[in-house]
């Protein structure tokens, strides 16, 4: 459908160009005795401008249908589509103005002068456009990433020339899950604020599942049981993610120790002990993984009342 629409627009543009040429060919030569027919000349220029607009639109639709839709990486396809829209849009604008004025060089010079003048009046939109260029080139985030920027956090749904649209996560919710709201932030924020990409390195983030136990608990047994449960639930996925992480570290000057699987950190509180099971979870589905692991942990620990005790009383 998109390809046929592009071809139709392209064909209509060619027809408009031919008609413009025919109209212009019927105009009498300009002289002191025979003035050019202004109405016919305006029609010719209008057809030329229409031809440029239709041909440019047809090229855009055709490229989208033949090339962009075949790109497997949807994030890259999104960026290329925006670049194509901006480039062909500017070409069409210059072409239409040039067709009416017949002063192509003057149009380009005017764009430069006008652009210099409006820079002071439209600083924020221009900064946002520069921010979009930075996003496309440096890729601090892309569509589908979960990011935190300024006071907002969410999944990137759209990156336009001036704004980025997020599907908010967290917000008024205690869990880091989608709130059902959208947040629109200007692209200029990437130039002035910290951007946290929760899955840029290896598409996983570390998360902790805290378990409170009494002092009478066999801590070594409980630690081993927690690691065993995490291995069964997320062990294979963690090893694949850690392999990706190590490949990233191999190309960097950082020298970091990376564990091979789940670990447990122990912290002493006033009336109980907290065992924090540390696992890797997807940046956009971490809460579901944590829920699944926590349910397994409570079920398995309850099977060993002789070795695992939970805090009781008001102190908890």
């Amino acid at each position: 459908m998109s390809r046929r629409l592009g071809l139709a627009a392209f064909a209509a543009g060619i027809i408009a160009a031919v008609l413009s040429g025919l109209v212009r060919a019927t105009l009498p030569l300009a002289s002191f005795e025979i003035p050019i027919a202004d109405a016919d000349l305006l029609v010719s220029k209008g057809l030329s401008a229409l031809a440029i607009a239709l041909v440019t639109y047809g090229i855009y639709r055709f490229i989208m249908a033949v090339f962009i839709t075949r790109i497997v990486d949807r994030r890259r396809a999104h960026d290329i589509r925006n670049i194509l829209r901006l480039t062909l849009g500017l070409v069409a604008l210059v072409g239409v103005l040039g067709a009416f004025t017949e002063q192509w060089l003057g149009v380009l010079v005017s764009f430069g002068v006008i652009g210099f003048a409006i820079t002071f009046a439209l600083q924020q939109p221009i900064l946002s456009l520069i921010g979009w260029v930075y996003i496309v080139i440096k890729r601090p985030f892309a569509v589908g990433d979960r990011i935190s920027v300024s006071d907002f956090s969410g999944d990137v749904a759209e990156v336009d020339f001036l704004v980025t649209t997020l599907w908010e996560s967290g917000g008024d919710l205690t869990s880091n899950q989608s709130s059902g709201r959208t947040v629109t932030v200007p692209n200029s924020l990437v130039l002035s604020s910290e951007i946290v990409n929760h899955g840029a390195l290896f598409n996983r983030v570390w998360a902790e599942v805290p378990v409170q136990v009494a002092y009478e608990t066999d801590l070594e047994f409980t630690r081993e049981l927690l690691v065993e449960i995490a291995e069964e639930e997320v062990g294979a996925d963690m090893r694949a993610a850690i392999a990706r992480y190590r490949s990233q570290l191999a190309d960097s000057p950082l020298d970091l120790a990376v564990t091979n699987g789940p670990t447990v950190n122990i912290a002493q509180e006033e009336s109980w002990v907290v065992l924090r099971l540390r696992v890797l979870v997807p940046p956009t589905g971490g809460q579901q993984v944590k829920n699944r692991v926590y349910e397994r942990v409570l079920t398995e620990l309850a099977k060993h009342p002789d070795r695992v005790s939970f805090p009781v009383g008001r102190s908890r």
Side-chain angles (χ1 to χ4, degrees):
M1 179 64 184
S2 182
R3 183 186 301 184
R4 289 197 296 269
L5 182 61
L7 292 174
F10 188 85
I14 297 299
I15 294 173
V18 172
L19 292 176
S20 174
L22 292 176
V23 172
R24 188 174 290 270
T26 61
L27 294 175
L29 294 176
S31 65
F32 291 105
E33 295 79 13
I34 308 176
I36 294 179
D38 293 337
D40 291 342
L41 182 59
L42 183 61
V43 170
S44 175
K45 291 181 178 181
L47 287 172
S48 297
L50 179 63
I52 292 172
L54 288 173
V55 168
T56 306
Y57 179 73
I59 292 173
Y60 169 75
R61 300 299 301 188
F62 185 79
I63 293 176
M64 285 291 297
V66 175
F67 298 104
I68 306 301
T69 56
R70 297 184 180 181
I71 299 177
V72 178
D73 189 344
R74 292 187 299 172
R75 301 178 180 183
R76 181 60 62 184
H78 178 274
D79 292 340
I80 295 176
R81 184 198 68 183
N82 281 342
I83 294 173
L84 184 66
R85 286 168 53 193
L86 180 62
T87 302
L88 292 180
L90 291 175
V91 169
L93 181 59
V94 172
V96 169
L97 293 177
F100 275 109
T101 62
E102 296 185 346
Q103 298 291 331
W104 299 93
L105 182 59
V107 169
L108 293 176
V109 172
S110 298
F111 266 118
V113 175
I114 294 173
F116 179 79
I118 66 175
T119 297
F120 298 98
L122 300 175
Q123 293 185 24
Q124 192 62 41
I126 291 173
L127 285 175
S128 291
L129 185 60
I130 294 173
W132 172 76
V133 174
Y134 175 80
I135 293 170
V136 171
I137 295 176
K138 297 296 292 183
R139 295 182 69 82
F141 58 81
V143 173
D145 289 345
R146 173 160 292 184
I147 67 170
S148 297
V149 52
S150 188
D151 296 328
F152 308 105
S153 178
D155 303 317
V156 180
E158 185 77 18
V159 181
D160 287 326
F161 303 129
L162 300 180
V163 298
T164 293
T165 302
L166 306 178
W167 289 358
E168 186 189 43
S169 60
D172 298 332
L173 304 177
T174 56
S175 61
N176 195 29
Q177 294 177 292
S178 176
S179 67
R181 298 178 295 201
T182 61
V183 179
T184 302
V185 296
N187 291 336
S188 58
L189 282 180
V190 303
L191 305 175
S192 58
S193 300
E194 298 81 3
I195 306 295
V196 179
N197 191 323
H198 297 273
L201 280 179
F202 55 107
N203 198 31
R204 291 294 183 274
V205 292
W206 290 102
E208 290 184 341
V209 179
V211 180
Q212 299 173 349
V213 295
Y215 281 113
E216 298 79 16
T217 297
D218 186 337
L219 296 181
E220 186 61 29
F221 169 79
T222 306
R223 182 208 293 266
E224 293 177 358
L225 185 58
L226 294 180
V227 171
E228 180 182 340
I229 294 170
E231 277 287 349
E232 294 176 359
E233 293 291 335
V234 298
D237 182 74
M238 280 191 64
R239 283 187 289 274
I242 289 172
R244 295 194 299 271
Y245 188 28
R246 283 176 172 161
S247 67
Q248 295 281 349
L249 289 175
D251 298 329
S252 75
L254 298 176
D255 185 15
L256 301 177
V258 184
T259 59
N260 293 320
T263 57
V264 176
N265 296 325
I266 300 178
Q268 180 180 350
E269 301 292 340
E270 183 177 352
S271 302
W272 58 79
V273 177
V274 179
L275 288 82
R276 303 186 184 276
L277 177 60
R278 198 164 186 258
V279 295
L280 282 173
V281 298
T284 57
Q287 190 61 47
Q288 291 87 338
V289 175
K290 290 169 62 177
N291 290 343
R292 189 173 72 247
V293 172
Y294 193 65
E295 290 173 1
R296 277 285 314 275
V297 166
L298 293 181
T299 301
E300 295 299 324
L301 292 182
K303 296 178 181 179
H304 305 277
D306 55 327
R307 309 187 72 173
V308 180
S309 300
F310 294 102
V312 293
R314 292 189 220 174
S315 59
R316 194 173 185 221

